[in-house]
Amino acid sequence: MSDCIFCKIVAGDLPCDRVYEDEHVIAFNDMHPQAPHHILVIPKTHVAGVNDFSDEQQLLLGAIVLAAKKIAAQLSVAEDGYRLVMNCNGHGGQTVFHTHMHFLAGRQMLWPPG
Ligand code: DGP
């Protein structure tokens, strides 16, 4: 999508601090980190949000989670733990409408998050 900032990052038209990439996803550091490691894992194809995934895209959704697992191993935080968050629409706090999973690690996460 031409007016989507994350599509521009995928296309290489906007810079990012990339930490992981495979056939289906890329992952890069969030510009407003909420933890020592705060990474966004996004699909390379534009899907606005979780509500927009079709049944046929279940492998793409799986690829996002598996990328997070690999990033955890890469950063040596798998054992300590990490948090994965996907915000959806207004009440979820979504501000960028290209699906992304927040990968947060490096400090104790609290629950409820507020
Ligand atoms: P959300 O609220 O779930 O839609 O989170 C969007 C996140 O995206 C937010 O934490 C800030 C981050 N973000 C927005 N624009 C950019 C950008 O251009 N580059 C990077 N690295 N992060 C961005």
Side-chain angles (χ1 to χ4, degrees):
M1 253 182 94
S2 58
D3 60 346
C4 169
I5 51 171
F6 285 0
C7 282
K8 287 180 180 162
I9 286 174
V10 170
D13 296 335
L14 277 180
C16 74
D17 188 7
R18 192 170 311 191
V19 297
Y20 177 84
E21 179 169 12
D22 65 27
E23 181 188 352
H24 303 290
V25 309
I26 69 166
F28 51 89
N29 288 319
D30 193 293
M31 69 183 338
H32 297 133
Q34 303 300 315
H37 299 293
H38 186 171
I39 294 158
L40 301 174
V41 185
I42 74 169
K44 287 184 171 177
T45 54
H46 183 87
V47 183
V50 172
N51 287 341
D52 302 293
F53 274 85
S54 65
D55 289 349
E56 290 70 35
Q57 289 174 306
Q58 63 176 299
L59 288 177
L60 183 55
L61 267 175
I64 294 169
V65 179
L66 285 172
K69 171 192 155 180
K70 290 170 189 167
I71 291 164
Q74 196 175 295
L75 297 174
S76 302
V77 297
E79 191 69 22
D80 282 347
Y82 51 94
R83 178 170 287 174
L84 303 178
V85 176
M86 294 178 87
N87 297 327
C88 186
N89 282 345
H91 280 188
Q94 184 176 9
T95 60
V96 176
F97 290 87
H98 179 129
T99 297
H100 48 282
M101 174 177 277
H102 295 259
F103 175 101
L104 298 143
R107 67 167 171 81
Q108 179 63 56
M109 302 297 154
L110 303 174
W111 195 264

